[in-house]
Amino acid sequence: MPDDMVSHSPAPLAGARPAAPLSGTIRVPGDKSISHRALMLGALAVGRTEITGLLEGEDVLATAAAMRALGAGVERRPDGCWLVDGVGVGGLAEPADIVDLGNSGTAARLLLGILATHPINCFVTGDASLRSRPMRRVTEPLSRFGARFVTRAGGLLPLAVTGAADPVPLEYTLPVPSAQVKSAVLLAGLNTPGETTVVEPQVTRDHTERMLGHFGATVRVAPAAGGGKRITVVGQPELVAAPIAVPADISSAAFALVAGLIVPGSDITVEGVGLNPSRTGLLASLKEMGADIAYLNERIEGGEPVADLRVRAGTLAGADIPPERAPSMIDEYPILAVAAACARGRTRMRGLAELRVKESDRLTGTAEGLSACGVRVAIEGDDLVVDGAGNLPAGGATIASRLDHRIAMAFLVLGLAANEPVRIDDARPIATSFPGFVPLMNRLGAGFAEIG
Ligand code: S3P
């Protein structure tokens, strides 16, 4: 579509109780975390990397454009396979313009890690959501390699980075459980002589470590002294192009799975879902709530465990979700809270401080949205407490999606089980992570509809 035809007006959408239970089998798009990393590491490898199943959401397309602007060859074949011609570790070139990473925190933070040890200047920005998110969590450790940053007040984007010409390696203990910060430091270590080590007291998703190994880097992972992991990357390897098959994103599958659990009588299957153990906290939590989830055709695809997940609706009970589980389901709390709203009894989700700095403040947004839909909910410290009455929530509210795809999808799903429809003011953010969400859910019988 030409630029002047892009819709700049909000796209309201409603979820309402469907006439029949949800049924059928779908496959959701590729994993967002793995897709970003495949493009970035492909761009730093020598040779051509072929990526199948890449998520073609706006976040990942922003990374593709950024790697192209930095000198890598990135193109999509008509069959949907993406080809990345890498420049080798340390080989990226200064881009001719500002790099705009849209809504994507992962793209911004991981790319800053790469740029920190390339001796070039780069200007980085994003949308209103990304420009409000904390970047000091990466610029602070990346400065220790010798990179220089000029940021907006408060460490915010837009920023300018001048990468270190003679970087020094680092041992860094994560002050927050963030795979993005871990990855930024490891990726900076890639073009640094010697060994760079990250200690993570709480285990976070490990796609960067796995994929670095897949491309031929030496990565050592050992238990850390006080718990968690110590991850060391040996700097300045030659990365060798390697094919990547991206599994379906469990964080996207989550919306269909919870819909299947809360719409009475439903029976649905989501195929090929990535089940990396650092990502499956939602499934553990739903099982504790009594969910009927079957793992079918468990297999390894592209080095990651995957399975087809079949869920059948039934009665859910409240549960106590421990704080140490948060990193393995960090993006799934809004939709878990929707499941909790349809359960019988209290669900306490503990230790959710990081939810405040996602695409929106998801702790507040989830609580306010549920409350508007007639659900008893409270924020106690960093805990979210939902009291499910065991019957269907009232619904009947309009929720602001606040440039946050997961808030938008979670409340549309709540509408499927509520007494009155739930509206979101703008469905456009959904395209950042889950293009095709509406038609795919409607194939299961959701009946999401635009409203005038
Ligand atoms: C991601 C890590 C998580 C997650 C984000 C993707 C990644 O962020 O919320 O959607 O790909 O590394 P944090 O690591 O900052 O918690």
Side-chain angles (χ1 to χ4, degrees):
M1 193 187 304
D3 263 1
D4 57 356
M5 287 180 62
V6 170
S7 165
H8 292 293
S9 38
L13 198 68
R17 202 185 303 164
L22 303 181
S23 68
T25 298
I26 57 168
R27 187 179 167 104
V28 302
D31 188 90
K32 183 154 70 69
S33 294
I34 296 176
S35 295
H36 284 298
R37 288 159 172 82
L39 290 169
M40 290 182 186
L41 291 187
L44 295 176
V46 173
R48 172 170 283 190
T49 290
E50 293 193 9
I51 310 168
T52 53
L54 187 89
L55 168 64
E56 295 179 345
E58 288 167 3
D59 278 14
V60 174
L61 296 179
T63 291
M67 300 326 289
R68 210 180 278 127
L70 286 157
V74 183
E75 64 174 272
R76 181 188 193 276
R77 252 186 359 215
D79 65 359
C81 174
W82 284 72
L83 307 175
V84 183
D85 288 305
V87 295
V89 169
L92 295 175
E94 181 175 286
D97 202 350
I98 299 170
V99 172
D100 186 343
L101 297 167
N103 192 249
S104 180
T106 308
R109 297 198 179 108
L110 271 57
L111 191 65
L112 290 176
I114 293 173
L115 292 171
T117 53
H118 275 75
I120 57 175
N121 298 320
C122 188
F123 300 85
V124 178
T125 192
D127 72 4
S129 158
L130 190 56
R131 282 184 274 115
S132 72
R133 296 181 66 186
M135 290 296 147
R136 269 199 193 126
R137 52 177 58 200
V138 289
T139 57
E140 196 279 317
L142 296 176
S143 301
R144 300 193 202 179
F145 285 93
R148 285 181 294 124
F149 296 90
V150 180
T151 70
R152 213 147 57 84
L156 302 178
L157 296 181
L159 64 70
V161 52
T162 302
D166 295 305
V168 285
L170 199 63
E171 168 154 342
Y172 187 68
T173 300
L174 294 183
V176 284
S178 166
Q180 294 181 355
V181 179
K182 169 177 68 177
S183 302
V185 173
L186 291 174
L187 291 171
L190 207 51
N191 195 32
T192 301
E195 298 190 349
T196 292
T197 296
V198 176
V199 177
E200 52 173 11
Q202 266 187 282
V203 171
T204 67
R205 67 190 67 190
D206 63 358
H207 305 298
T208 301
E209 301 89 295
R210 283 183 188 235
M211 206 181 286
L212 280 169
H214 184 64
F215 278 94
T218 300
V219 179
R220 295 195 307 272
V221 181
K229 287 187 192 170
R230 247 186 102 78
I231 304 123
T232 299
V233 63
V234 178
Q236 301 189 320
E238 178 162 300
L239 296 184
V240 182
I244 306 273
V246 182
D249 196 330
I250 188 168
S251 296
S252 297
F255 298 99
L257 296 173
V258 169
L261 291 170
I262 64 176
V263 176
S266 298
D267 180 349
I268 66 155
T269 300
V270 186
E271 288 180 334
V273 180
L275 295 179
N276 179 310
S278 63
R279 297 285 299 280
T280 50
L282 175 74
L283 301 178
S285 301
L286 289 171
K287 286 216 157 200
E288 284 169 15
M289 296 170 78
D292 179 351
I293 307 174
Y295 294 54
L296 310 175
N297 300 320
E298 288 183 65
R299 57 204 186 267
I300 302 286
E301 273 179 16
E304 297 269 352
V306 303
D308 305 334
L309 299 179
R310 179 181 182 187
V311 301
R312 279 170 280 199
T315 311
L316 298 176
D320 197 315
I321 313 298
E324 58 275 13
R325 195 176 291 159
S328 69
M329 55 175 299
I330 193 66
D331 293 334
E332 281 65 80
Y333 284 101
I335 193 64
L336 180 69
V338 165
C342 300
R344 185 184 301 277
R346 171 166 290 193
T347 297
R348 180 180 285 271
M349 293 161 257
R350 296 179 188 268
L352 306 191
E354 279 294 297
L355 283 201
R356 299 187 201 271
V357 291
K358 293 299 177 186
E359 286 81 331
S360 69
D361 174 351
R362 287 185 180 154
L363 195 51
T364 305
T366 303
E368 285 181 0
L370 288 180
S371 178
C373 290
V375 177
R376 284 182 54 205
V377 56
I379 297 172
E380 294 177 4
D382 292 333
D383 297 353
L384 182 63
V385 183
V386 176
D387 280 310
N391 52 19
L392 300 179
T398 298
I399 309 298
S401 50
R402 297 189 173 104
L403 289 178
D404 192 326
H405 50 133
R406 301 204 197 277
I407 292 290
M409 290 186 278
F411 281 97
L412 285 172
V413 169
L414 181 65
L416 300 178
N419 282 319
E420 296 295 330
V422 176
R423 297 177 176 77
I424 56 165
D425 66 345
D426 193 2
R428 289 175 302 170
I430 294 172
T432 61
S433 70
F434 198 161
F437 170 75
V438 171
L440 208 57
M441 291 296 293
N442 285 352
R443 252 176 46 205
L444 298 175
F448 291 137
E450 286 172 27
I451 40 181

